[in-house]
Each structure stands twice: as C-alpha cells, then as structure tokens.
C-alpha cells in the first residue's frame, strides 16, 4: 500500500486538509492491520460490526485475556509439578490437587496461623476465625460452604486482593484447589451468593475493629453495614479448635438430615 506523502509545502488549505486525512486513514489502517495480525497469532477471531468496523478496544481486551491465559497455561505446565508438604505429612500438588489429599486438620492448622490482611491488623487475626464468623451469619444450609470458602489459603496462603487480581496463574491454581476441596466435603463448587455478602459484611466489621483508622475508600464495601458486635481476636490454637469443631458440627448436621 502506498503511503500518502506527509509534505504539505506549497499546497493550498484544501489540499493540505485532504493530505492530512489521507495520512490519518493510512495510519489507522496500518494500526488496525497490526492489531488484527496480533489477534490472529493468538488465535483470536475478530468480527467487524454491521458497518464493517472493528472495535479496537474489544480486540485489545481479547488479546489481553489471551496473553493472561497463555501465562496461566505456562505456569500450570511447569515440570516438575510444584508440591508442598502439609502439616499431616501429605504432599499436595498445587497444579493437580487430589481431593483425597485434602485433610481437615491440615486446613484448620494452616488457616489458624495465617493472619488476615497480610498481617497489617492491629492484632493477630486468623483466616480460620474469619471463616468461622462467616459461617455464623449465613443461612444454616450454607454454613458449611461459608466455613470452607477460604480453605484454599491453607495451601497457597492469603494473598491481599489487589495483588491477587493481577496474577491470573494464582487464581487458576486457587480455582483448582477449591474444586478439590468442594469435592472432598461434597459442597457445590459455586459458592452461594449469601456467602459473598456475609464475607463483605465481615470485612466491613474487620476494617472497623482490626485495621488502622484511614480515610481510604474501599469501593467493595459501599453500602455494606458492619456487624453490631465487635470482633475479639482468638489465638491460633483457639482458632484451629473452633474451626475444627464447627466443621464437625456442620458435617454431623448434614448426616442427620
């Protein structure tokens, strides 16, 4: 394709305008072609709209998603498979977790020793205690799912949410672990909406009771009211015991039902 000349010396105003338009059209066509080539390399099939136009933003979003997925695929294909040793002495694959290796005592111990908010609370406050409290404010039929909703952190730790959103491979591993945990305890892998609502209500309470005072806005808590009763942090041993007893209670109830 011949690119129009960018020189406008000696041209009248109308000709200069036409020349400028030709240059801009050529630039846009070149940019679109480059974007479509990148999309093709990533296996993305771009469709024009009814007027034959391509949405650059839509293609760019698909390209970004494809690059994220490629990063995930590469991370999950790592050899040898990344494995941790749990408290019970059981090896646990992070990329191919087996539900048979999920142990409730491993979860109770690990969650009781992991501090929420990356340790930036005024007192030690465990993920185990957080999960027990969430299970207490949802409908009874959803309490088991609520108790387990952060159980993946027993294997991959508690990562602060702003960072987690930037790491697609971490989220893929978290999803695989959650599927194994859900299978182990026979709960739906899709968490009930009430668990998310209770999680946010407890988060609002935790911010009020456990975090430093700050004017920083948390958009996720807009319109969310904290619980009336204040949170009193437990020791790791008490949190592990409480989490385990709550699990036994909810599993026993399900057996009776």
């Amino acid at each position: 394709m011949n690119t129009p000349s960018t020189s406008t010396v000696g041209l009248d105003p109308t000709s200069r305008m036409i020349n400028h338009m030709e240059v801009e059209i050529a630039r846009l066509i070149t940019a679109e072609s480059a974007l479509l080539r990148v999309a093709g390399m990533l296996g993305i099939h771009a469709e024009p709209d009814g007027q034959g136009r391509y949405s650059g933003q839509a293609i760019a979003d698909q390209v970004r998603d494809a690059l994220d997925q490629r990063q995930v695929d590469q991370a999950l294909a790592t050899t040898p498979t990344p494995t941790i040793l749990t408290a019970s002495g059981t090896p646990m694959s992070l990329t191919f977790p087996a539900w048979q290796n999920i142990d409730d005592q491993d979860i109770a111990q690990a969650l009781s020793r992991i501090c929420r908010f990356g340790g930036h609370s005024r007192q030690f406050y465990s993920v185990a205690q957080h999960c027990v409290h969430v299970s207490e404010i949802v409908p009874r039929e959803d309490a088991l799912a609520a108790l387990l909703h952060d159980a993946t952190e027993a294997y991959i730790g508690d990562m602060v949410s702003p960072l987690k959103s930037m790491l697609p491979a971490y989220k893929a591993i978290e999803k695989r672990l959650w599927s194994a945990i859900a299978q182990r305890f026979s709960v739906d892998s899709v968490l009930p909406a009430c668990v998310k609502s209770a999680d946010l209500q407890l988060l609002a309470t935790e911010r009020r009771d456990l975090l430093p005072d700050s004017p920083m806005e948390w958009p996720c808590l807009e319109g969310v009211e904290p619980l009336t009763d204040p949170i009193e942090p437990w020791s790791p041993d008490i949190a592990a015991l409480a989490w385990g007893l709550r699990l036994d209670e909810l599993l026993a109830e399900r057996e009776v039902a």
Side-chain angles (χ1 to χ4, degrees):
M1 179 178 65
N2 294 326
T3 303
S5 171
T6 58
S7 175
T8 58
V9 177
L11 296 179
D12 58 76
T14 300
S15 297
R16 283 201 299 271
M17 181 178 295
I18 293 173
N19 183 269
H20 176 73
M21 292 177 61
E22 289 176 342
V23 170
E24 285 301 300
I25 290 171
R27 183 183 63 80
L28 291 173
I29 291 175
T30 301
E32 181 180 273
S33 299
L35 190 56
L36 290 175
R37 283 198 298 272
V38 171
M41 291 170 59
L42 294 172
I44 297 171
H45 182 63
E47 291 285 351
D49 61 20
Q51 297 180 328
R53 298 173 180 171
Y54 290 93
S55 170
Q57 185 59 54
I59 295 175
D61 290 342
Q62 291 183 66
V63 168
R64 190 178 300 107
D65 290 343
L67 290 173
D68 285 347
Q69 187 58 50
R70 179 171 292 188
Q71 178 186 348
V72 169
D73 293 342
Q74 291 173 346
L76 298 185
T78 301
T79 302
T81 301
T83 302
I84 65 169
L85 185 65
T86 66
S88 64
T90 304
M92 173 63 73
S93 166
L94 298 182
T95 49
F96 298 100
W99 69 267
Q100 297 93 335
N101 291 343
I102 301 294
D103 184 276
D104 57 294
Q105 293 184 17
D106 282 341
I107 296 173
Q109 174 172 318
L111 295 187
S112 72
R113 298 180 181 184
I114 298 174
C115 188
R116 290 266 289 168
F117 308 108
H120 295 285
S121 53
R122 291 197 296 266
Q123 296 172 266
F124 178 85
Y125 173 71
S126 71
V127 175
Q129 182 176 354
H130 165 83
C131 291
V132 171
H133 289 328
V134 174
S135 78
E136 294 171 336
I137 59 177
V138 298
R140 197 70 178 183
E141 63 270 19
D142 296 320
L144 181 57
L147 182 69
L148 296 167
H149 81 280
D150 278 340
T152 57
E153 295 176 10
Y155 302 99
I156 54 176
D158 179 19
M159 181 176 292
V160 291
S161 296
L163 178 58
K164 183 188 298 187
S165 65
M166 301 169 62
L167 302 174
Y170 177 96
K171 291 189 290 185
I173 290 173
E174 181 182 46
K175 183 177 180 180
R176 290 188 179 190
L177 280 165
W178 170 245
S179 295
I181 292 167
Q183 185 176 0
R184 165 67 177 81
F185 295 104
S186 299
V187 297
D188 196 325
S189 61
V190 179
L191 285 171
C194 66
V195 174
K196 180 62 175 177
S197 298
D199 197 27
L200 288 174
Q201 188 175 21
L202 197 61
L203 178 62
T205 311
E206 291 162 349
R207 180 178 184 182
R208 180 196 67 196
D209 297 340
L210 301 168
L211 295 182
D213 293 332
S214 169
M216 185 177 76
E217 295 184 1
W218 291 19
C220 66
L221 293 181
E222 185 176 351
V224 178
E225 289 296 325
L227 299 172
T228 302
D229 294 337
I231 294 173
E232 296 293 338
W234 302 333
S235 70
D237 288 345
I238 294 298
L241 179 62
W243 192 95
L245 289 174
R246 182 65 167 160
L247 178 68
D248 290 343
E249 173 191 353
L250 296 173
L251 291 177
E253 283 184 3
R254 188 170 65 180
E255 289 297 323
V256 172

